[in-house]
Amino acid sequence: MLCTRLTNARVLTMDPHRPVARDLGIWRGRIVGLDEAVTALPAREVVDLDGATVLPGFIDSHVHLAWAGLKARTPSIAPCERIEDILAVVDAAARRPAPPGAWLDVAGYDQRALGRHLTAAELDRVSHGRKILLMHDSGHACVVNTAVLELLPDGVEHEEGFLAESAMTAARRLRLPYSQEELADAIGHAARACLAEGITACAEAGIGGGLLGHSPVELGAYQLLRDRGGLPVRVQLMAAGDTLRPRAAHPHDGFTRALDLGLRTGFGDDRLSLGALKIYTDGGMMARTAALTSPYEGTDGNTGRFQDDPGRIARLIVDGHLAGWQLAVHAIGDRAADLALDALEQAQKLKPRPEARHRIEHAGLIRPDQLPRFAALGVSAVVQPNFLRYFGDDYATVMGERRAGWMYRGRGFLDHGVTLVGSSDRPVTDGSPLRAIQFMVERASVSGRIIGGEEAIGVDEALRAYTVAGAHACHWDGTAGSLSPGKRADLVVLGDDPHRVDPSRIGDIEIVTTYVDGQDTRDVRGA
């Protein structure tokens, strides 16, 4: 007897061997068959979907759940566009009862509307004895007040309180880590938001490190939540590259740096597992720290920056590969992509691992000559289409006309045989896969500006980026990504078929519900 049979549906399986079905049978959390294989079988529950569209659950291959959950509960200065309005919000938050000298986090900081960065001196006027940290929306910078600057180690560079990349990491390391209880609560909040958008699995892009890690024992928060039954989506965790340490292992093991106990990609179960090693090369376009070969337009020669000495970054990439990790290399600018591709090529020459499925996260600005290198190395491009949907007008301006079409490519990757993977980088921007899919098809920002129109792809190709390709990038392709017999019954029910609506309406399609392990999650989403 089936546990559940979904009937009267338009099931888009994303499996080329059986692309469309009407009925889908579920037993013990797995798909057991489609149409004639299950239609006549008895089921404990029969769900008539009244013609709704069913797709594999969306996979968001690059998110920050803890940060998203914490940000949702943090005072925010968005959408303030005047310095006096920002200071008024900080002033009100700093006046709330707190121990003397306590830290105050404020979210939503973005200098672009202001025309310049805030300064420590300005924050000092509204600090009321608190240590203030305004987190940049990109996650790559912050502004702090003088109380924080006075605690920074010697040699940490700042611009009147503005700290970028490693300097921001130095400020974050001054404070007590979040507790596992706080993190578990934040992760659960963000995971439920993912469910509401049709996401059934995601990859957490960096835990335990200095840039966005929230605790040196951050993995424990995910385990705590899972053990309580409070982790409603599947999560693959990327360990931050700076968690690798020199290890005196046996020479035949072939590596010199490793995570404690030699843990690496693949450890865990089907609900919580260890994925890629996350390695940063550069910053971000929003903060103007992505590493470019040519300067940002309208700047005095700014070409961004690397997170560390390029040689040290390259050695970490090679060492991670030799230690058996899948690598997720953050590279937004084209200069950063050169560094990543060179290091990955060197690593594969030293120890060929064609099955590694290394990834370049963001791939935000990729020159035409770099596309064949992605393909030759078998590297996936994990892009964030919603960056251009929401920030594209600004990005296109600072990249200039010649480079605007190179940003967050679609068609260019696919035409070169590169696996194109969709993701959000939640909470940097909107996490909705459907709105991202709409952008991939239209290439239109929210203002209507077409950005790299030649990079537009078809609806089916965009859906694959959030299903089949996401599963491939996370080594889940044997169990997820398509609605095929034997795979997990993780699926999303939509109010309409993305293929059948005008592309401008894709982002507004209703998420009726999501199923994880064959269970309707409507009650969980509302928790």
Side-chain angles (χ1 to χ4, degrees):
M1 175 180 285
L2 298 173
C3 296
T4 304
R5 185 173 75 250
L6 305 181
T7 189
N8 190 21
R10 179 170 170 77
V11 182
L12 305 179
T13 67
M14 306 307 293
D15 180 349
H17 301 293
R18 183 67 176 270
V20 182
R22 184 179 184 275
D23 285 16
L24 182 147
I26 300 169
W27 184 69
R28 293 189 177 181
R30 296 275 176 165
I31 298 166
V32 295
L34 302 164
D35 288 349
E36 68 278 357
V38 297
T39 301
L41 295 179
R44 294 191 184 95
E45 178 186 36
V46 177
V47 181
D48 186 335
L49 290 177
D50 195 27
T53 296
V54 177
L55 278 162
F58 296 129
I59 297 171
D60 190 334
S61 298
H62 185 118
V63 301
H64 299 281
L65 294 179
W67 179 21
L70 292 168
K71 182 178 179 180
R73 301 171 183 198
T74 300
S76 177
I77 54 177
C80 297
E81 296 185 351
R82 299 189 310 161
I83 288 172
E84 53 265 39
D85 294 337
I86 291 174
L87 295 178
V89 172
V90 176
D91 180 70
R95 289 177 182 272
R96 295 171 189 164
W103 285 80
L104 172 63
D105 288 318
V106 181
Y109 176 63
D110 185 346
Q111 86 287 355
R112 292 174 299 174
L114 306 176
R116 67 170 176 84
H117 285 292
L118 282 168
T119 68
E122 287 168 330
L123 290 179
D124 289 344
R125 301 203 307 263
V126 293
S127 293
H128 302 287
R130 306 283 294 274
K131 300 182 184 75
I132 310 292
L133 188 149
L134 270 60
M135 186 71 168
H136 197 278
D137 270 344
S138 68
H140 288 268
C142 64
V143 177
V144 300
N145 65 347
T146 301
V148 176
L149 293 178
E150 290 173 344
L151 299 175
L152 289 173
D154 292 340
V156 174
E157 295 182 359
H158 70 89
E159 301 168 22
E160 298 185 278
F162 173 71
L163 305 170
E165 311 303 346
S166 59
M168 181 189 72
T169 298
R172 288 168 58 87
R173 284 180 170 156
L174 294 172
R175 61 193 308 171
L176 189 70
Y178 288 94
S179 72
Q180 289 193 354
E181 287 284 355
E182 289 176 290
L183 291 174
D185 185 58
I187 293 160
H189 177 87
R192 291 189 293 273
C194 287
L195 277 181
E197 292 171 342
I199 297 164
T200 56
C202 56
E204 167 69 58
I207 63 167
L211 190 63
L212 281 176
H214 299 282
S215 165
V217 291
E218 194 167 355
L219 191 150
Y222 286 87
Q223 289 183 292
L224 180 66
L225 190 64
R226 182 203 57 190
D227 292 348
R228 292 173 174 173
L231 189 62
V233 298
R234 304 185 197 283
V235 178
Q236 188 178 85
L237 303 170
M238 299 184 200
D242 52 3
T243 61
L244 241 57
R245 296 285 184 269
R247 299 294 173 198
H250 193 284
H252 287 174
D253 290 340
F255 55 81
T256 58
R257 281 194 274 188
L259 207 62
D260 285 347
L261 303 178
L263 292 176
R264 58 179 173 83
T265 303
F267 183 80
D269 56 31
D270 66 355
R271 182 61 62 136
L272 181 64
S273 60
L274 194 57
L277 184 72
K278 174 73 176 295
I279 298 175
Y280 286 93
T281 62
D282 66 344
M285 286 189 191
M286 192 189 307
R288 312 300 195 241
T289 54
L292 311 179
T293 52
S294 299
Y296 290 90
E297 295 286 331
T299 68
D300 187 19
N302 176 27
T303 57
R305 66 186 76 176
F306 288 120
Q307 292 279 353
D308 196 355
D309 173 76
R312 282 196 290 268
I313 296 172
R315 285 193 294 275
L316 180 57
I317 291 171
V318 172
D319 286 351
H321 172 88
L322 296 178
W325 286 89
Q326 178 190 22
L327 301 178
V329 184
H330 168 115
I332 292 185
D334 59 331
R335 183 160 57 107
D338 281 334
L339 171 60
L341 293 167
D342 288 346
L344 290 171
E345 184 176 35
Q346 180 190 2
Q348 290 285 15
K349 285 179 180 177
L350 289 172
K351 184 178 182 179
R353 286 177 53 216
E355 80 292 345
R357 301 188 190 180
H358 295 322
R359 314 154 39 138
I360 289 187
E361 308 299 299
H362 308 297
L365 187 76
I366 301 300
R367 302 187 309 269
D369 65 286
Q370 293 173 317
L371 293 170
R373 298 195 66 194
F374 273 76
L377 289 168
V379 173
S380 297
V382 184
V383 300
Q384 296 75 41
N386 274 337
F387 278 13
L388 293 189
R389 177 175 169 83
Y390 293 97
F391 311 140
D393 293 0
D394 172 60
Y395 287 9
T397 298
V398 297
M399 288 301 112
E401 184 177 352
R402 181 175 68 94
R403 294 181 292 183
W406 301 352
M407 295 191 297
Y408 297 94
R409 291 176 178 268
R411 176 56 55 202
F413 284 127
L414 292 180
D415 284 353
H416 282 80
V418 177
T419 300
L420 177 66
V421 183
S423 68
S424 69
D425 206 12
R426 176 195 307 266
V428 176
T429 190
D430 186 346
S432 166
L434 285 175
R435 283 190 279 276
I437 288 164
Q438 177 178 321
F439 176 83
M440 296 173 90
V441 175
E442 292 188 312
R443 298 290 298 192
S445 72
V446 290
S447 74
R449 180 175 180 175
I450 300 299
I451 302 168
E454 67 279 6
E455 291 295 321
I457 62 177
V459 172
D460 200 61
E461 292 169 319
L463 288 171
R464 286 187 175 277
Y466 280 89
T467 55
V468 176
H472 174 86
C474 296
H475 288 272
W476 283 332
D477 42 317
T479 56
S482 65
L483 300 178
S484 308
K487 291 194 174 183
R488 301 171 188 146
D490 294 355
L491 50 93
V492 57
V493 181
L494 303 180
D496 216 329
D497 181 349
H499 299 85
R500 294 183 171 184
V501 302
D502 187 275
S504 64
R505 290 185 49 227
I506 292 174
D508 296 323
I509 292 174
E510 178 192 5
I511 305 291
V512 178
T513 190
T514 50
Y515 282 75
V516 177
D517 280 330
Q519 300 296 312
D520 190 328
T521 65
R522 265 177 276 216
D523 291 342
V524 176
R525 288 164 51 188

